[in-house]
Amino acid sequence: MVRVVLATHNRHKALEFQQILGDAVPGLEIVGYDGPEPVEDGVTFAENALIKARAAAAHTGLPALADDSGICVDAMGGAPGIFSARWAGRHGDAQANLSLLLDQLADLPDGTRGAHFTATLALVTPAGATTVVEGVWPGRIAREAAGSHGHGYDPIFVPEGHDATAAELGPEVKNAESHRSRAFAAIVPALKELVAAG
Ligand SMILES: O=c1nc[nH]c2c1ncn2[C@H]1C[C@H](O)[C@@H](COP(=O)(O)OP(=O)(O)OP(=O)(O)O)O1
Ligand SMILES: [Mg+2]
């Protein structure tokens, strides 16, 4: 088996990766990461994903896969974007983050609430080779939170082609369509190459 460390401290992401991975890449074992959490001082999702993957590869000596992701609102020029995790000021306070975003968008009429989730994955080998891919899940911001599945901004994100939030749709639908599943599909060839190289 080839081991790849998943360089995240977000247990929700780790669970989604396990659910999405399935048997997509035979011979691959994704291992957890409890090493140091680097400062995400990049100004793009790609820069932050590379920062996280490089730190984990250096700490473990293994190939590392990191995700930097967020919600991007059209009418806000793509914000919160890389600031999604701490939009309301405290890292990982999903309720505060989504409540603030709903308040900020309260006056926006239907048809102007377009948004998308972005997930950018970076795969880094101990030798320093890097692969960066991105997945985008288009949709809109609801007027109020609904649903109990998922995490983060799922309760206020209505994916294109649905009338329910990602938190109402549940993991089967989300993991088949999400930004994270799309990004993962794009990184599979690089993961297969890693396994083939042994
Ligand atoms: O599927 C998602 N469903 C809902 N919200 C999501 C999703 N994916 C990212 N998000 C939002 C919430 C999170 O707070 C932020 C990620 O911030 P981000 O820095 O990439 O992750 P994090 O700090 O929670 O963990 P880590 O950096 O260790 O991977 O974007
Ligand atoms: Mg983070």
Side-chain angles (χ1 to χ4, degrees):
M1 290 292 257
V2 170
R3 296 193 305 157
V4 172
V5 62
L6 181 57
T8 183
H9 290 83
N10 181 320
R11 61 185 171 78
H12 300 289
K13 287 187 186 179
L15 175 63
E16 286 185 3
F17 273 115
Q18 295 298 356
Q19 291 168 339
I20 292 164
L21 175 69
D23 57 1
V25 184
L28 176 71
E29 181 188 354
I30 296 273
V31 297
Y33 177 64
D34 57 4
E37 189 164 8
V39 173
E40 294 176 43
D41 54 3
V43 295
T44 65
F45 288 123
E47 286 176 6
N48 284 326
L50 282 166
I51 287 167
K52 290 184 269 192
R54 284 182 173 129
H59 185 74
T60 63
L62 293 173
L65 180 66
D67 156 316
D68 199 50
S69 44
I71 193 154
C72 308
V73 178
D74 302 348
M76 298 173 88
I82 59 168
F83 305 109
S84 296
R86 56 189 187 281
W87 188 239
R90 201 166 67 80
H91 184 281
D93 187 341
Q95 189 54 47
N97 289 337
L98 69 83
S99 299
L100 175 59
L101 194 56
L102 282 181
D103 289 347
Q104 290 166 327
L105 302 178
D107 297 335
L108 281 192
D110 293 350
T112 67
R113 301 172 70 85
H116 60 270
F117 272 126
T118 294
T120 299
L121 301 185
L123 177 64
V124 171
T125 69
T130 65
T131 308
V132 179
V133 299
E134 184 173 275
V136 173
W137 197 17
R140 60 182 168 84
I141 303 297
R143 292 198 174 280
E144 56 188 27
S148 57
H149 297 287
H151 59 102
Y153 295 86
D154 283 339
I156 63 169
F157 179 73
V158 179
E160 213 165 71
H162 295 282
D163 291 324
T165 70
E168 291 176 301
L169 291 169
E172 294 72 28
V173 173
K174 180 177 179 182
N175 289 334
E177 298 183 18
S178 77
H179 49 311
R180 191 155 292 113
S181 66
R182 296 176 193 208
F184 193 82
I187 203 104
V188 163
L191 290 171
K192 285 185 172 174
E193 264 181 51
L194 213 55
V195 171

